[in-house]
Amino acid sequence: MRRALIASTVAVITIAGSMTSVAGPNKNTEELLPNEQQILADSQKTFDGTKAGSAWNMVAVGHNEIGGRGFNADVWVHKGFAYVGHWGFQDWATGNDRFCPEQPVSGVAVIDARTPSNPTVVSTLQNPANTSAEDVVVYTARYGPFAGHDIAASGLQVCGSRFDLSIRRGLMLWDVTDPARPVTLGLYDSGCCTRGVHEFEVGDRPDLGKTFAYVSVPYSERAEPGSPTGVRDLSGRGDARIVDITDPTRPVEVSTFGIKKDLGLDPASGQGCFAISFGHGMTPSADGKLLFVSYWDAGFIALDVSRPDAPRFLSRATYASNEDGDAHSASYDDARKLLFTADEDFCKGGAGVVPGWGYMRVWDYSNPRSPKQIGSFRTENSFGKSDPGAGDYVIHNPLAVGTDVYISWYTDGVRVVDASDPRAPHEVAFFVPPAGQNPVKPAQRSVLTNTTQVWGVAYDPATGLVFASDMNTGLWILRRT
């Protein structure tokens, strides 16, 4: 995930179909994604340990707590402005108010960072009530009626009941040509009865004169009693979808891919903790003709999307039987045909599973039909040999910039890895923000209490600055030394 290419917009698609015959949800964690289940599990822990933060070859040049709202998610930077999403989900045990922020503390925060030492919130990209807006992408449109405009997109997921069709879900678009005065453009409706779009990327196709959003809609193929298709998506679509957003006010879904409908695999199968397979991360190549789908325990799937309306399966990079799996996200180095991947493995132990938290792998995709793992990188804490205080020492999102990889690593902060030799990546810098209490009051069952939890990382090529989002403490602007 997290690219520096991109370019266009989205609109409204109405998915036909009635859910009157579909059973209501089971009020348990089967509704939740693995990281959400982990956050709920963390809420039962007592956190202590060293919380002062640390740094090596990186310094903070700016910080904004975003009004102390907490629940911060992904970060993007575009033309000197940072965009920070927010997360939320239904906690059936205590009620929706616990994990689904509402106005004025919800939405994507737009922060003027042109003076890095004094980043200032200038507006909010407001998502609908009862949704979260975690992932965010901002780009300058190259084609269509909004060519030349700056467009922001965010994935919407339902926080309440996914059967409530009054809750809008999918991909929401804004015109942010004037970041202080965003204008809502459109919505791609991902349909009933999934929670919506989790992660996505946007990419241009110069050969077609179009822009596409590559979106993941997790659990689309999960079995659903009473559904006319037998699965959660009423149209029987897959988790990986390609949406034409050349006209941001009129998005058009052009294709979907799923491991059940296209490969005959069981989405309910998996290995290790959170044993299941679902589409999580989407990573297109620079020319938009190759797409990597991070499919949790099903591994990393490469698709030929030269024809966006007809994806073709190329390969699947799978895990050894004693590995936990958890293919979360990736970043592609087009020049060297390398895929840097993240396994969001929260379980540092377990019967028959290699111990430790998830880490980065390096794959050689010079032959996309036969990928080979050639390297890896782990932080010392991710080996899981000890518990240095509280938190989750697991990788989240990698971002390849030249031969370096910038990585958000939850409680291990931001890590910078030199991958000039992809067979032996080594760390060259890191920044761990000081731990912060969850600022949301009343306390959310002690969720994220006194921990560093860096969700996202972005790089500004114009300034060389690094932007990081911490769930509790907001936006950090960093400079390598």
Side-chain angles (χ1 to χ4, degrees):
M1 116 177 223
R2 299 309 72 176
R3 300 191 54 83
L5 54 117
I6 46 224
S8 194
T9 334
V10 152
V12 182
I13 293 178
T14 301
I15 306 298
S18 169
M19 277 309 294
T20 55
S21 62
V22 178
N26 293 321
K27 293 189 176 182
N28 56 40
T29 57
E30 70 91 24
E31 293 292 320
L32 306 183
L33 297 177
N35 71 317
E36 296 166 342
Q37 294 183 43
Q38 182 65 33
I39 289 168
L40 283 182
D42 284 349
S43 73
Q44 309 306 315
K45 299 177 182 178
T46 299
F47 286 173
D48 51 22
T50 302
K51 301 296 180 181
S54 59
W56 176 54
N57 290 341
M58 290 189 97
V59 295
V61 298
H63 175 227
N64 189 303
E65 294 182 345
I66 315 182
R69 68 176 188 173
F71 290 76
N72 299 299
D74 196 33
V75 60
W76 192 274
V77 59
H78 184 75
K79 294 185 177 179
F81 287 81
Y83 297 77
V84 180
H86 88 276
W87 58 271
F89 55 88
Q90 174 67 296
D91 175 11
W92 294 111
T94 62
N96 190 45
D97 61 319
R98 296 293 185 178
F99 289 92
C100 195
E102 299 292 349
Q103 296 187 46
V105 294
S106 61
V108 178
V110 183
I111 301 172
D112 186 344
R114 290 174 294 181
T115 302
S117 61
N118 185 34
T120 304
V121 177
V122 295
S123 66
T124 300
L125 308 181
Q126 189 60 59
N127 53 300
N130 298 310
T131 66
S132 67
E134 296 176 11
D135 212 13
V136 58
V137 172
V138 187
Y139 56 94
T140 301
R142 293 178 61 183
Y143 312 109
F146 284 81
H149 288 239
D150 294 324
I151 307 298
S154 183
L156 302 183
Q157 293 182 107
V158 173
C159 287
S161 170
R162 59 188 172 85
F163 296 95
D164 184 349
L165 299 186
S166 70
I167 303 176
R168 302 167 74 190
R169 68 204 73 184
L171 189 70
M172 193 168 183
L173 280 295
W174 297 263
D175 187 331
V176 291
T177 304
D178 181 351
R181 296 174 177 80
V183 178
T184 301
L185 293 177
L187 174 74
Y188 157 66
D189 186 339
S190 58
C192 192
C193 279
T194 63
R195 287 171 55 199
V197 171
H198 186 57
E199 289 197 354
F200 71 98
E201 294 296 339
V202 176
D204 287 322
R205 283 294 298 271
D207 57 326
L208 302 177
K210 292 181 177 293
T211 299
F212 294 97
Y214 305 86
V215 307
S216 68
V217 185
Y219 296 172
S220 292
E221 295 188 301
R222 197 163 179 171
E224 185 82 275
S227 167
T229 58
V231 296
R232 290 192 177 183
D233 184 76
L234 293 189
S235 299
R237 293 170 294 179
D239 291 15
R241 306 182 187 181
I242 301 178
V243 181
D244 184 344
I245 59 171
T246 309
D247 181 350
T249 67
R250 297 180 180 276
V252 179
E253 182 180 283
V254 297
S255 65
T256 79
F257 174 90
I259 58 170
K260 181 177 181 178
K261 75 182 187 68
D262 291 298
L263 300 181
L265 300 177
D266 181 6
S269 65
Q271 58 195 76
C273 301
F274 306 118
I276 196 170
S277 296
F278 64 94
H280 189 285
M282 307 285 279
T283 306
S285 60
D287 63 5
K289 296 181 180 180
L290 187 62
L291 179 65
F292 302 95
V293 185
S294 307
Y295 230 101
W296 210 248
D297 287 350
F300 295 91
I301 294 175
L303 302 175
D304 179 344
V305 290
S306 299
R307 285 187 51 188
D309 62 332
R312 292 191 303 114
F313 173 77
L314 294 175
S315 63
R316 182 162 72 99
T318 58
Y319 293 101
S321 59
N322 66 337
E323 294 179 318
D324 201 273
D326 305 346
H328 173 273
S329 56
S331 186
Y332 187 55
D333 180 339
D334 291 85
R336 297 188 292 170
K337 298 185 179 356
L338 298 175
L339 190 69
F340 298 92
T341 66
D343 298 339
E344 195 184 30
D345 169 17
F346 282 100
C347 303
K348 66 176 183 178
V353 178
V354 176
W357 307 86
Y359 57 95
M360 184 183 80
R361 301 172 190 255
V362 186
W363 300 84
D364 179 356
Y365 270 88
S366 53
N367 178 359
R369 294 184 180 277
S370 182
K372 296 179 175 60
Q373 184 179 334
I374 60 173
S376 63
F377 170 78
R378 305 183 70 149
T379 64
E380 186 63 30
N381 289 331
S382 71
F383 284 99
K385 296 178 181 178
S386 62
D387 185 7
D392 301 303
Y393 295 93
V394 57
I395 190 173
H396 196 214
N397 292 322
L399 172 64
V401 178
T403 57
D404 288 337
V405 185
Y406 294 82
I407 311 169
S408 56
W409 208 295
Y410 283 122
T411 310
D412 259 337
V414 174
R415 321 304 290 200
V416 184
V417 174
D418 181 342
S420 53
D421 179 357
R423 290 171 175 78
H426 62 282
E427 190 167 69
V428 293
F430 64 76
F431 182 87
V432 181
Q437 294 280 352
N438 176 6
V440 179
K441 305 300 179 189
Q444 311 294 293
R445 293 173 63 202
S446 298
V447 168
L448 303 180
T449 299
N450 197 28
T451 57
T452 298
Q453 291 279 13
V454 173
W455 180 298
V457 63
Y459 177 82
D460 184 0
T463 62
L465 295 176
V466 180
F467 291 70
S469 53
D470 182 272
M471 294 192 210
N472 287 336
T473 61
L475 176 70
W476 294 84
I477 303 177
L478 313 173
R479 177 173 55 84
R480 290 178 61 178
T481 58

